[in-house]
């Protein structure tokens, strides 16, 4: 299963990718929407884990663009700014919505649920 992680916090997203790799996921990461588009154009991902609040383009807007490129891709949103408005938007647009900090097992479980594994 291939996962694309997108978050503007480089240390967070790179370590998250490493932790998913240890658990058997092929993981790539990006810190900008432009980087995410480039990676999605070059490879097929099953799941994208997107930060809701990023500079220049929100995770919700990024999801719409990535979905145009890969209609079968599943989306999970994460945020460190858990407002009710964000929760509603993230829940409506993605498979699920996770508030930081979270345990890696929670993300693994949500990825597997999104892919019906």
């Amino acid at each position: 299963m291939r996962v694309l992680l997108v978050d503007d916090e480089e240390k967070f997203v790179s370590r998250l990718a490493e932790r998913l790799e240890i658990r058997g996921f092929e993981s790539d990461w990006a810190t900008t929407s432009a980087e995410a588009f480039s990676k999605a154009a070059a490879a097929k991902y099953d799941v994208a884990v997107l930060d809701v609040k990023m500079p220049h383009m929100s995770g919700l807007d990024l999801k719409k663009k990535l979905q145009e490129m890969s209609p079968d891709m599943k989306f999970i949103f994460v945020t460190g700014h858990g407002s009710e408005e964000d929760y509603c938007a993230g829940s409506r647009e993605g498979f699920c919505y996770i508030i930081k900090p979270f345990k890696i097992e929670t993300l693994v479980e949500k990825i597997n649920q999104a892919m019906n594994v």
Side-chain angles (χ1 to χ4, degrees):
M1 193 173 325
R2 193 161 197 167
V3 180
L4 176 61
L5 302 156
V6 186
D7 193 302
D8 60 319
E9 297 176 44
E10 184 174 341
K11 187 175 179 180
F12 169 77
V13 73
S14 65
R15 294 185 89 190
L16 197 57
E18 288 174 8
R19 295 172 78 194
L20 286 177
E21 290 276 344
I22 290 169
R23 286 159 177 83
F25 294 91
E26 290 182 55
S27 303
D28 288 327
W29 56 273
T31 57
T32 66
S33 55
E35 231 182 312
F37 292 136
S38 176
K39 291 188 185 239
K44 181 180 182 327
Y45 294 95
D46 301 299
V47 177
V49 179
L50 308 176
D51 187 12
V52 173
K53 293 197 184 284
M54 296 187 294
H56 309 296
M57 180 178 282
S58 75
L60 297 173
D61 291 336
L62 178 59
K63 179 245 181 189
K64 291 174 186 166
K65 300 285 186 187
L66 289 174
Q67 197 166 38
E68 289 174 11
M69 298 171 73
S70 301
D72 296 331
M73 189 184 296
K74 307 291 187 218
F75 296 91
I76 294 171
F77 292 101
V78 298
T79 188
H81 312 279
S83 73
E84 184 174 339
E85 180 181 323
D86 288 344
Y87 177 79
C88 291
S91 297
R92 187 175 48 247
E93 294 293 327
F95 175 77
C96 70
Y97 182 92
I98 303 172
I99 295 177
K100 298 178 198 173
F102 54 84
K103 293 182 178 179
I104 189 67
E105 291 80 13
T106 300
L107 180 58
V108 167
E109 178 184 331
K110 296 301 181 186
I111 291 171
N112 285 333
Q113 286 175 353
M115 297 307 299
N116 294 318
V117 175

